[in-house]
Amino acid sequence: MRGLRAPTVFNGERFLPGGATVIVADGVIKGVESAAYAVPDHCPVTAFGGTMLPGLFDAHVHLVSDSSLGGLERAGALDAEAVDEIIVQSLRQQAVSGVTTVRDLGDVGYRTLAVRDSSRVGLPRIRAAGPPLTVPDGHCHYLGGVVDGPRAIRAAVLDHEQRGVDVIKVMASGGMTTVGTDPFGVQFDGAELRALVDTAHGVGLPVVAHAHSLAGIRQALAAGVDGIEHFTGLTETGIRVPDDVLDDVAAAGVAVNPTLGFDSGLFASMPAPPQALSASLKRIGLDLETAQAARLAVLRRAHSRGIQLVTGVDAGAAPAKPHGIVSLAVAALTEGGFSIVDAVTSATAVAARACHLGDVTGRLEPGLDADILVVDGNLANDITALQRPVEVLIRGDPVAPQ
Ligand SMILES: [Zn+2]
């Protein structure tokens, strides 16, 4: 048994006035008491000066990629041992940054599931989708999840279920990182996507759809998906997500993960933004900055309708998206006008619920796993505190520094 005490404590949903003492035993939170709580004699207490909060989620990662240029594509050609090494390294980078749970939405060869099930101490909990389902030559086809036609779609979903995935990921639109695919369009027809979702739901699996295009968002909604990734709203006339679409997202309870967050220093070190990305934006007269502003405006309208916003970086997908920068995705929300509470909630309690782990982690609450992050600074008025982790516990086990 041990105690952790801090003057500022965010419990996953709100700040607790006056701080708190959190009691941990056997990997589980046993109590969340006042800062002045007199702990039992046998219980050592560490008093921190900063902010204590639940460990963070990165709800969109590609553990098989080291985030180097073309890293995701290369993973599709590596042997299992090499892929496993990258997965563990990615997890370490996530862990030391304060991430205690990742949701992997783009695996190769089901290696992420193998690592998930190998119970490595001190590495983040994994929710895994296996190889994402896509059309022939479609977005991320090189990860091995190509399906062609309704029969193959159903078979692939059932095969994923047999192998033990936690969620099905489908590429509803093309993507920026796969040459020859169209992020403005759709990849499947509506009936195919419905068959995919119905089959997944039939075996109890949620579905999240990658959708950059407005057409892809609409199609995913009509098919009944549970979450939409990116949610960019690309149309030939700009970034546009009309009110009726947002109303449908809210009514359906679909969680949106805008995959914000990138390391601008890494962007600057590259000769130019990735070609496909800049080409896509140029096609509609936008650059990175104006596109980001337009996206944040969409997210504010989404939030005002009560839509659940989840934080995930798309870590591993590109050089500007390394593992371990979820704090920047949270900060991007506050820069876009969100309160610190709403922004951090999107990476804790809301993310946990969206990943169907709300009764396991994501809050400082007795009975939940002891996934705890302590950061340097007062998070209540300084979002950059999230970039300064000083202690990370995953199921009560301290994460070894790198
Ligand atoms: Zn992705």
Side-chain angles (χ1 to χ4, degrees):
M1 182 182 280
R2 72 175 283 201
L4 298 92
R5 177 174 288 160
T8 307
V9 174
F10 180 76
N11 75 353
E13 292 172 320
R14 62 192 177 88
F15 284 95
L16 304 180
T21 306
V22 173
I23 308 296
V24 170
D26 305 322
V28 173
I29 296 172
K30 297 294 186 187
V32 179
E33 312 289 349
S34 75
Y37 176 70
V39 297
D41 285 343
H42 58 280
C43 178
V45 175
T46 314
F48 295 95
T51 303
M52 178 162 39
L53 69 158
L56 302 173
F57 275 68
D58 187 336
H60 188 140
V61 304
H62 300 282
L63 295 172
V64 299
S65 172
D66 60 6
S67 88
S68 59
L69 203 57
L72 196 52
E73 185 159 2
R74 266 198 308 284
L78 295 176
D79 63 31
E81 201 182 328
V83 171
D84 289 4
E85 257 177 53
I86 298 173
I87 292 174
V88 170
Q89 180 59 22
S90 301
L91 286 167
R92 285 207 185 100
Q93 286 174 279
Q94 292 282 0
V96 295
S97 78
V99 168
T100 55
T101 305
V102 296
R103 181 173 62 175
D104 188 279
L105 296 181
D107 188 10
V108 57
Y110 298 92
R111 295 315 306 164
T112 298
L113 278 83
V115 175
R116 179 196 67 186
D117 297 340
S118 66
S119 65
R120 292 165 204 242
V121 170
L123 293 182
R125 175 188 297 93
I126 298 173
R127 300 289 277 180
L133 299 184
T134 192
V135 298
D137 296 320
H139 182 41
C140 289
H141 60 85
Y142 39 76
L143 295 177
V146 170
V147 287
D148 193 5
R151 186 196 287 264
I153 288 171
R154 284 192 206 95
V157 170
L158 295 176
D159 184 45
H160 276 57
E161 194 266 339
Q162 285 293 308
R163 289 171 182 266
V165 302
D166 303 298
V167 54
I168 297 288
K169 163 86 176 298
V170 61
M171 302 301 198
S173 78
M176 315 284 183
T177 52
T178 310
V179 178
T181 69
D182 184 8
F184 290 75
V186 296
Q187 295 208 121
F188 294 90
D189 70 34
E192 288 174 326
L193 210 56
R194 267 197 304 281
L196 184 150
V197 173
D198 288 348
T199 307
H201 286 173
V203 291
L205 286 174
V207 178
V208 296
H210 153 113
H212 281 301
S213 63
L214 176 59
I217 292 171
R218 285 191 192 278
Q219 196 189 57
L221 277 173
V225 302
D226 304 277
I228 300 182
E229 304 296 305
H230 310 304
F231 201 78
T232 316
L234 287 181
T235 77
E236 294 295 345
T237 56
I239 285 176
R240 212 161 52 79
V241 183
D243 284 345
D244 68 296
V245 172
L246 293 179
D247 291 341
D248 287 351
V249 172
V254 168
V256 166
N257 174 8
T259 59
L260 301 174
F262 54 84
D263 186 325
S264 54
L266 291 173
F267 248 136
S269 72
M270 293 164 61
Q275 264 221 321
L277 174 59
S278 52
S280 290
L281 296 176
K282 220 166 146 190
R283 184 162 146 188
I284 51 175
L286 296 173
D287 57 25
L288 276 177
E289 212 166 302
T290 46
Q292 178 82 346
R295 297 199 61 206
L296 286 165
V298 169
L299 297 178
R300 284 193 296 272
R301 287 166 53 227
H303 181 66
S304 72
R305 285 167 167 78
I307 292 170
Q308 301 288 291
L309 295 178
V310 179
T311 287
V313 166
D314 207 355
K321 288 182 170 290
H323 293 281
I325 63 157
V326 82
S327 60
L328 298 180
V330 175
L333 281 175
T334 63
E335 285 155 22
F338 286 77
S339 71
I340 286 179
V341 167
D342 286 338
V344 183
T345 302
S346 79
T348 51
V350 169
R353 279 197 292 273
C355 295
H356 303 268
L357 289 170
D359 55 357
V360 177
T361 186
R363 288 171 296 134
L364 300 180
E365 185 80 26
L368 299 194
D369 281 3
D371 295 337
I372 298 175
L373 168 61
V374 181
V375 296
D376 170 32
N378 184 349
L379 184 63
N381 55 36
D382 176 13
I383 195 67
T384 70
L386 269 193
Q387 293 161 37
R388 299 187 296 273
V390 296
E391 177 94 11
V392 183
L393 301 186
I394 300 178
R395 297 187 182 98
D397 291 313
V399 169
Q402 274 198 313

